[in-house]
Amino acid sequence: GDPKVPVLYQVERTRTGKSFSVRSVKAIQHGKPIFTCQASFQLSQGSPVQHQFTMPAVPPPEELLTQEELIQKFLQNPNLAERYRKHLNKIQAEDVPIDIKPVNPPDVFCWEPQEPKQLFWVRARGYIGETDMKVHCCVAAYISDYAFLGTALLPHRQYRVRFMVSLDHSMWFHAPFRADHWMLYECESPWAGGCRGLVQGRLWRRDGVLAVTCAQEGVIRVEPAPNQSKL
């Protein structure tokens, strides 16, 4: 989409029930759809059928470095090749409104394949407060897309990304949360093939409650890296 051009939203009332309702939304710019969404809503209901996975045991965010601090650490290495230094400086210059603390950051000097799993502590920068829960859900949707599809590339670090974009993104909201509080983002990629990758994610509150589940499929086109040495 173009942030300089107004967006026209067409909303269709697909279904309106007593407990569940569905709305279909199409966002249009320049007369063409740029985004489609199907949103389901439910009235709050109690149920004796309840369970969830167990939150991974990880160090608290206070004990970890931010993504900016990790990048700065890499940049201090005098042997870092200039092209990788430029790439890291470009990442550092991005104005990302998210605080990110990787639990097990990948080694920038290592090209060995890694398991397609990542863990991040994430939160929105700044104060959002006790506002409408829908605001926190919108912020979580933004957070959930950051570095998500890249999980599928961890076993294939010998390649350089030529093109990567999301095809679809789904989210299920399970429990109230604050997007400006630290949450653990657990990401994994169970499958990749046919120039596509599938990733799944879980956003955990610090108290161990599973707040959000995510899934995304995207196009991933790669090419062999010209030189695997970063030194």
Side-chain angles (χ1 to χ4, degrees):
D2 185 350
K4 298 178 182 178
V5 178
V7 180
L8 173 65
Y9 292 98
Q10 292 183 347
V11 182
E12 176 186 344
R13 297 190 176 188
T14 308
R15 181 180 184 275
T16 302
K18 293 181 179 180
S19 300
F20 295 88
S21 296
V22 180
R23 298 292 184 265
S24 299
V25 183
K26 183 184 294 185
I28 299 173
Q29 277 187 334
H30 304 294
K32 296 181 180 180
I34 60 170
F35 172 81
T36 58
C37 169
Q38 181 166 293
S40 300
F41 304 90
Q42 178 193 10
L43 291 176
S44 181
Q45 295 175 299
S47 171
V49 180
Q50 297 185 43
H51 72 267
Q52 66 167 48
F53 284 172
T54 301
M55 178 178 173
V58 299
E62 291 77 14
E63 297 180 6
L64 300 171
L65 298 176
T66 65
Q67 179 170 274
E68 289 83 359
E69 291 169 335
L70 287 166
I71 290 176
Q72 196 59 40
K73 183 179 176 181
F74 290 135
L75 289 174
Q76 290 174 356
N77 189 319
N79 297 318
L80 184 65
E82 185 59 29
R83 64 178 179 277
Y84 294 106
R85 189 175 299 278
K86 290 181 179 179
H87 177 66
L88 291 175
N89 279 322
K90 182 179 179 181
I91 296 175
Q92 190 82 301
E94 291 178 354
D95 186 17
V96 179
I98 312 170
D99 285 326
I100 304 168
K101 291 192 173 186
V103 175
N104 294 303
D107 186 349
V108 72
F109 297 105
C110 176
W111 284 85
E112 293 299 318
Q114 296 185 1
E115 190 177 13
K117 293 185 178 182
Q118 297 191 86
L119 289 164
F120 305 93
W121 284 105
V122 294
R123 69 178 178 185
R125 287 181 175 166
Y127 177 78
I128 298 176
E130 298 287 351
T131 183
D132 192 319
M133 186 61 209
K134 290 189 287 292
V135 174
H136 288 281
C137 289
C138 290
V139 175
Y142 181 91
I143 291 174
S144 70
D145 191 44
Y146 188 80
F148 194 23
L149 195 55
T151 309
L153 289 169
L154 291 177
H156 314 284
R157 303 186 71 194
Q158 71 272 30
Y159 295 104
R160 182 173 63 184
V161 177
R162 184 161 52 88
F163 180 77
M164 185 167 67
V165 66
S166 170
L167 290 171
D168 50 61
H169 190 97
S170 300
M171 300 184 73
W172 296 265
F173 298 95
H174 312 306
F177 61 91
R178 286 274 299 270
D180 54 351
H181 287 180
W182 285 116
M183 291 192 292
L184 182 68
Y185 196 16
E186 180 186 10
C187 308
E188 58 185 1
S189 175
W191 176 88
C195 293
R196 292 177 290 124
L198 177 67
V199 288
Q200 299 169 342
R202 290 178 282 273
L203 276 167
W204 299 89
R205 295 190 332 208
R206 289 195 68 164
D207 60 0
V209 171
L210 179 59
V212 186
T213 298
C214 315
Q216 184 180 98
E217 186 181 44
V219 176
I220 302 177
R221 302 189 190 279
V222 299
E223 58 189 9
N227 183 2
Q228 295 188 2
S229 174
K230 294 181 184 287
L231 299 177

